[in-house]
Amino acid sequence: MDGFAGSLDDSISAASTSDVQDRLSALELRVQQQEDEITVLKAALADVLRRLAISEDHVASVKKSVPSKGQPSLREAISMSCITNGSGGSRKPSHTSSVSIARKETFSSAAKSGTEKKKEKPQGQREKKEESHSNDQSPQIRASPSPQPSSQPLQIHRQTQESKNSTPTKRHKDVIINQAKMSTREKNSQEGEYIKMFMRGRPITMFIPSDVDNYDDIRTEQPPEKLKLEWVYGYRGKDCRANVYLLPTGEIVYFIASVVVLFNYEERTQRHYLGHKDCVKCLAIHPDKIRIATGQIAGVDKDGRPLQPHVRVWDSVSLSTLQVIGLGTFERGVGCLSFSKADSGVYLCVIDDSNEHMLTVWDLQKKSKVAEIKTTNEVVLAVEFHPTDANTIITCGKSHIFFWTWSGNSLTRKQGIFGKYEKPKFVQCLAFLGNGDVLTGDSGGVLLMWSKTTVEPTPGKGPKGVYQISKQIKAHDGSVFTLCQMRNGMLLTGGGKDRKIILWDHDLNPEREIEVPDQYGTIRAVAEGKADQFLVGTSRNFILRGTFNDGFQIEVQGHTDELWGLATHPFKDLLLTCAQDRQVCMWNSVEHRLEWARLLDEPGHCADFHPGGTVVAIGTHSGRWFVLDAETRDLVSIHTDGNEQLSVMRYSVDGTFLAVGSHDNFIYLYVVSENGRKYSRYGKCTGHSSYITHLDWSPDNKYIMSNSGDYEILYWDIPSGCKLIRNRSDCKDIDWTTYTCVLGFHVFGVWPEGSDGTDINALVRSHNRKVIAVADDFCKVHLFQYPCSKPKAPSHKYSAHSSHVTNVSFTHNDSHLISTGGKDMSIIQWKLVEKLPLPQNEIAADTSLTKAPVSSIESAVQYDTPTPPPSQPLNETVEEESRISNSPTLLENSLEQTVEPSEDHSEGQSEGGSEDLGEPVSEEPPQETSKEQSEATLPEGPRDHPPLS
């Protein structure tokens, strides 16, 4: 996804980087698809084995009662089992979804007796059965209007079988029909009604609780609660440059994920621009210091449709979008961009991440592209308009600097000649001196001054200006990564390898220097701050504020590698995160600051607080898990379970047990004593045929519900030796202490239609049991009503992440929701707010608002007035937005985003009420307004060493 993810490495290889990344991405996709298929095949085989075991048990019982007629009964049992599991001839296409309520037959129990036999099957037989089964199944939910009709096909099929078989079979058939006719109460006294959902061909059975009198009476609606983005932890400096600036408002502007953050470090407040739908990669400030342009990379949504890279120009005061530029023009992403300066910012130049690195110039007043040209196949790292010569644009990058003369719709290139000076591997950055000379910093640590000379005019043409090197200065050990021209005319340079910031006087003599401490990483961006301060963005995702006299103070920090682990404190406003960068971070959710950080020996993947709040358990990728003191971060104990990744840590409600879910398919149980400081092995839950993904405890510590990678829902009896509960209907009425399992009767409605089973990464029920928060693979956070027991349930959807959302957790008092992004490395804090009912006279306006298509330059702010119709001219739309944006009342309640038109009518209505509070999803403006253009995952960029604590 990242067009030049590796371009910031000082020793980047040749121009084929983009091609190599594309091939790597394609290979990764193929590997992932093969892994998914293997998971499905395993699941299919496990299901076949279970059915065979059930049938064998039934045959044995029939042989005892009717020795001479066992075989027909076996055929009948297998046939009925197939129908019950929804694999009859009336199967719908794979992209459709329906719900199936069936009364389970006595002989078709859900016992998992075939699980242990799976390992004994020869590999060849296993593959054949898996293949035949997976080809027959499709991801869907089977359903019928009511329990009674769903049992009728079984009756019809049984009658057909009975006509072919003898009297003993008839007697058996009468029993089954009588069961089918039994009332719900009578049925519940045996096994109960159940819902059957299909996930990639795998049937998932969920028993309906006894307190549900009539499943058809269940209604799922949007919850009255909504989310409003309150705080974003983190900064993207690892693979970006020149993306930190100080605005006249006193706010630092930077980005992470798809959010552009405006952070007032004195007042400790944040505002957020949320117009983007995928990773923001570059940023430029207009000469008026109010308008900002940000560039977004390309991506793919959940249906495989491309998301087009583009640039958004927006107002930093009102946070309203002024223009969307380049839809359908840019390829892969936007690499760098710059406003013109000589004419007060009328034009914008952009370099995209295509192989040719196209240079385009855009007229912001006429809203049109005025010039376009290929630059080079080499990486381009910076582009700038000359501040005094309006017709000159300069680009630089791998082994080149180009001076472009712009006239009308044409651009002509002159290459900078290094002559007697050593040609650098990279020209990393450029700036302009007061006399108009150009200053470049390169990967050799050298500053070069380029001065314009006049040569003899060509007949019929005016004099030509040529830029030549007039001065060379050795500035840094390693590369010069960034240049910052200060208001007083002096210059700041930031070094890569030496991590130094040097202040240069007007004659380019060094005056002061300071070194950025090693734990912060190398320098990625330098900007002028207030008075004598300056701001520094680093490769380890820190933003520092410093002076040459007083050193540095941390203003922003975050993780530097993929983030999965999240836990919230049981009674304090604290949250803990752990990631592949080996960092464990404790954050204060009220003061929005880091309490402490500790570096582990290996990457962390999951975590949970002990109910006493004194310790926290952290699982890693190797099977080791650590217990840390939540106050002092001291190590309390270390344990190891298996040698595979641990995916879930879960304490029981009273803190006397700890369950550890592993990728080796086992759940390890520990007895916990001394307030979480002592652990002794209690047992191991064995029975899953794939890795553990989620688990929850019952209030009495007697039972565990668990999910696995092949979509199993299993239940465990802990006091009886961690035994698998064969009759799953016995657990249908358990009131689970937490609800984090993504599969279950109370939550299965959160799954999208046609899901492949990996679309939902995490789920959590609020402590007050009113709502469910869901983290999905398409950069979205969802808020559902709890319980959510009907398919395609409506939800509020929220965009801010630009990678798969890996985890969600409510704070102890349900005031906030925390979500973590995977490869975007962001931690986002959402405030839960009650949805205020609309007055009757506003409902019509509200409805029209949600259904109106979004114009190509429509504001990312959604207001409480109807959107202009599609036929409205662009300039009138902007004027309307400008008028509305001047209203502080409207802006306060609806800051950043628009409602996402849904592909599903019911979902469209569900999101209709989401615009007055919070930040429901903004729809991308291009061509087809019905297309959702937001979801993609962020590829892993070049890795740096993790920050130290």
Side-chain angles (χ1 to χ4, degrees), residues 244-266:
V244 177
Y245 296 96
L246 183 70
L247 299 178
T249 56
E251 296 168 306
I252 303 173
V253 58
Y254 58 94
F255 54 76
I256 181 171
S258 64
V259 183
V260 187
V261 182
L262 297 93
F263 171 48
N264 189 315
Y265 58 86
E266 292 179 341

Side-chain angles (χ1 to χ4, degrees), residues 246-252 264-267 486-487 527-535 545-547:
L246 183 70
L247 299 178
T249 56
E251 296 168 306
I252 303 173
N264 189 315
Y265 58 86
E266 292 179 341
E267 299 177 4
M486 302 179 72
R487 290 182 292 269
E528 189 172 10
K530 295 180 179 178
D532 60 343
Q533 296 178 351
F534 47 86
L535 303 172
R545 179 167 55 92
T547 64

Side-chain angles (χ1 to χ4, degrees), residues 614-615 626-630 634-638 676-679:
T614 56
V615 298
F626 302 84
V627 180
L628 301 181
D629 188 297
D634 292 337
L635 184 63
V636 175
S637 62
I638 304 177
R677 295 182 176 273
K678 185 177 179 181
Y679 297 81

Side-chain angles (χ1 to χ4, degrees), residues 12 29 43 111 266 394 513-514 574 765 804 838 841 891 937 947:
I12 189 168
L29 182 61
E266 292 179 341
I394 303 168
E513 72 174 48
I514 188 171
L574 298 174
R765 180 186 65 192
H804 49 293
L838 283 172
N841 60 353
L891 284 168
T937 54

